[in-house]
Amino acid sequence: MMLKKVMTVALAASIFTVSSISADAAQISLALVGGISSSLNESSTSDDKMAEVLDEVVKDNYTGMCIAKVTNYVNVRSEPNEESEVLGKLFDKSVGTVEGEENGWYLVTSGKVNGYVKAEFVVIGAEAEALAEEVGTKMAVVTTETLRVRQEATTDSSILGLIPMEEELVVVDETEDFVKVAIEEGDGWVSKDYVSLKTDYVYAESREEEEARLAKEEAERAAANKAAASKVRNSSSGNESAPLGNGGGSASGNAVASFASQFVGNPYVYGGTSLTNGADCSGFVMSVYANFGVGLPHSSSALRSAGYGVSLADAQPGDIICYSGHVAIYVGNNTIVHASTAATGIKYTSPANYKNILAVRRIF
């Protein structure tokens, strides 16, 4: 709807008057959100000047966080219409910055993507700020060689678990000097002196970034399949007691799950990579996949970027399940096999989402 009349807007202690100009109602409502503190005298200001000021007000007061609320993703386009070029994808709960509004579209920047998104697919203002607490994941990045996670928020409390340098842990609570983080042994406290804090958000992916990612994933998948081919042919059918799944998934993935299951009952050793004498969680995954000719990092955080992502609902035997400070191999039937803790060793756990899952990654 277009408005063409004298308009007076009262905000807090200020008055904003626009005389005899055409203004899109959506633009005006946008301007109201931020709180306008300017005043114009209609008798001494031209229509063009007023329109220019209104445009600036919209820009100044609509610039801020936006968050996508969609089923999967919404296209980011070069112009504010559905016929223009697609520049990238803004995924559900992705975060961006609003730079302006035009005909029911927001001009947004998210990641490396700058373009237009239909306003109905994103939230802004107070709603976005409130939602940001839900969509962002606060992480503690380990900055010391071996981080001691403690039962209580003191440096002399008993040790709950050990975490290596550069691992990223989900923060579940915080005090002035300590943060509580999630690890396999449970939630424990670490001094802020030994971690750096950040908040992870999802951002838009440009068309070029998507093409590069898909090409990289396909090349890695082809290399992994080639490396595993002979190993799979020679692989045994697996441990009789292994809770392997419903027959779904690739032959390579099932072979990985079967092979990994042979080591249930063996010890957990911090920093270890031996499937028989002891491994930690990422060492276990790394060594299982090494048996199939696939090189993976000895880091649960780094494994969140291995292969390509799938949902838990689509998980197949052999997939890597990533948690805060922990990682496992899916074997089917909603079950994982993993080097759990020093107290339990390598074992099965069900359900797979016994704690919050950060990523599910498929190698084959």
Side-chain angles (χ1 to χ4, degrees), residues 5-7 17-21 41-43 45-47 50:
K5 59 183 179 180
V6 175
M7 177 177 61
T17 304
V18 179
S19 173
S20 301
I21 65 170
N41 186 322
E42 61 178 293
S43 62
T45 307
S46 68
D47 289 356
M50 288 181 180

Side-chain angles (χ1 to χ4, degrees), residues 180-198:
K180 180 182 276 190
V181 295
I183 62 173
E184 174 63 10
E185 291 85 350
D187 294 348
W189 294 89
V190 299
S191 169
K192 289 182 178 179
D193 292 338
Y194 305 114
V195 296
S196 62
L197 300 179
K198 66 174 186 173

Side-chain angles (χ1 to χ4, degrees), residues 88-149:
K89 295 176 179 178
L90 190 67
F91 298 94
D92 185 43
K93 299 180 180 178
S94 291
V95 172
T97 301
V98 178
E99 299 179 0
E101 186 276 345
E102 186 174 346
N103 299 326
W105 293 70
Y106 291 147
L107 176 61
V108 304
T109 295
S110 179
K112 296 181 179 179
V113 184
N114 176 261
Y116 290 88
V117 176
K118 269 193 170 181
E120 65 192 86
F121 296 120
V122 298
V123 296
I124 63 171
E127 186 177 357
E129 291 178 7
L131 188 58
E133 296 184 7
E134 300 177 22
V135 303
T137 302
K138 194 163 189 177
M139 308 293 289
V141 184
V142 180
T143 58
T144 188
E145 185 174 354
T146 300
L147 179 69
R148 294 169 175 83
V149 182

Side-chain angles (χ1 to χ4, degrees), residues 5 29 31 67 96 129 159 183 191 207 223 286 289 313 328 344 357:
K5 59 183 179 180
S29 66
I67 298 178
E129 291 178 7
I159 296 173
I183 62 173
S191 169
R207 190 171 62 183
M286 180 185 75
Y289 267 91
T344 61
I357 293 174

Side-chain angles (χ1 to χ4, degrees), residues 75-352:
N75 287 323
V76 183
R77 296 183 178 273
S78 60
E79 302 292 338
N81 60 71
E82 294 183 347
E83 289 71 45
S84 60
E85 180 186 4
V86 174
L87 302 178
K89 295 176 179 178
L90 190 67
F91 298 94
D92 185 43
K93 299 180 180 178
S94 291
V95 172
T97 301
V98 178
E99 299 179 0
E101 186 276 345
E102 186 174 346
N103 299 326
W105 293 70
Y106 291 147
L107 176 61
V108 304
T109 295
S110 179
K112 296 181 179 179
V113 184
N114 176 261
Y116 290 88
V117 176
K118 269 193 170 181
E120 65 192 86
F121 296 120
V122 298
V123 296
I124 63 171
E127 186 177 357
E129 291 178 7
L131 188 58
E133 296 184 7
E134 300 177 22
V135 303
T137 302
K138 194 163 189 177
M139 308 293 289
V141 184
V142 180
T143 58
T144 188
E145 185 174 354
T146 300
L147 179 69
R148 294 169 175 83
V149 182
R150 299 183 181 274
Q151 297 276 4
E152 305 294 338
T154 64
T155 54
D156 56 1
S157 175
S158 58
I159 296 173
L160 180 66
L162 302 174
I163 301 295
M165 174 87 80
E166 297 183 352
E167 288 288 354
E168 299 180 2
L169 308 171
V170 173
V171 174
V172 297
D173 199 0
E174 185 174 359
T175 68
E176 184 177 352
D177 299 317
F178 288 82
V179 288
K180 180 182 276 190
V181 295
I183 62 173
E184 174 63 10
E185 291 85 350
D187 294 348
W189 294 89
V190 299
S191 169
K192 289 182 178 179
D193 292 338
Y194 305 114
V195 296
S196 62
L197 300 179
K198 66 174 186 173
T199 301
D200 284 348
Y201 293 106
V202 177
Y203 296 99
E205 183 177 52
S206 70
R207 190 171 62 183
E208 294 77 14
E209 287 174 320
E210 180 183 36
E211 291 171 353
R213 174 178 58 81
L214 293 175
K216 178 176 178 290
E217 289 175 355
E218 178 58 33
E220 290 178 350
R221 185 160 57 246
N225 281 323
K226 181 178 180 181
S230 61
K231 295 283 187 178
V232 172
R233 283 195 297 269
N234 297 327
S235 175
S236 66
S237 60
N239 191 326
E240 289 290 331
S241 63
L244 295 179
N246 50 18
S250 68
S252 295
N254 276 280
V256 166
S258 179
F259 179 75
S261 296
Q262 298 177 45
F263 305 102
V264 168
N266 288 348
Y268 172 100
V269 174
Y270 175 74
T273 59
S274 172
L275 296 174
T276 53
N277 297 325
D280 60 17
C281 63
S282 57
F284 174 70
V285 173
M286 180 185 75
S287 295
V288 166
Y289 267 91
N291 182 73
F292 294 86
V294 178
L296 292 176
H298 190 182
S299 163
S300 61
S301 298
L303 285 168
R304 295 206 297 267
S305 300
Y308 61 102
V310 298
S311 68
L312 178 61
D314 294 328
Q316 298 174 358
D319 289 349
I320 299 171
I321 312 293
C322 303
Y323 309 89
S324 172
H326 193 63
V327 68
I329 294 174
Y330 188 72
V331 296
N333 289 342
N334 200 18
T335 301
I336 58 170
V337 61
H338 57 143
S340 179
T341 68
T344 61
I346 299 172
K347 68 170 191 171
Y348 295 119
T349 294
S350 183

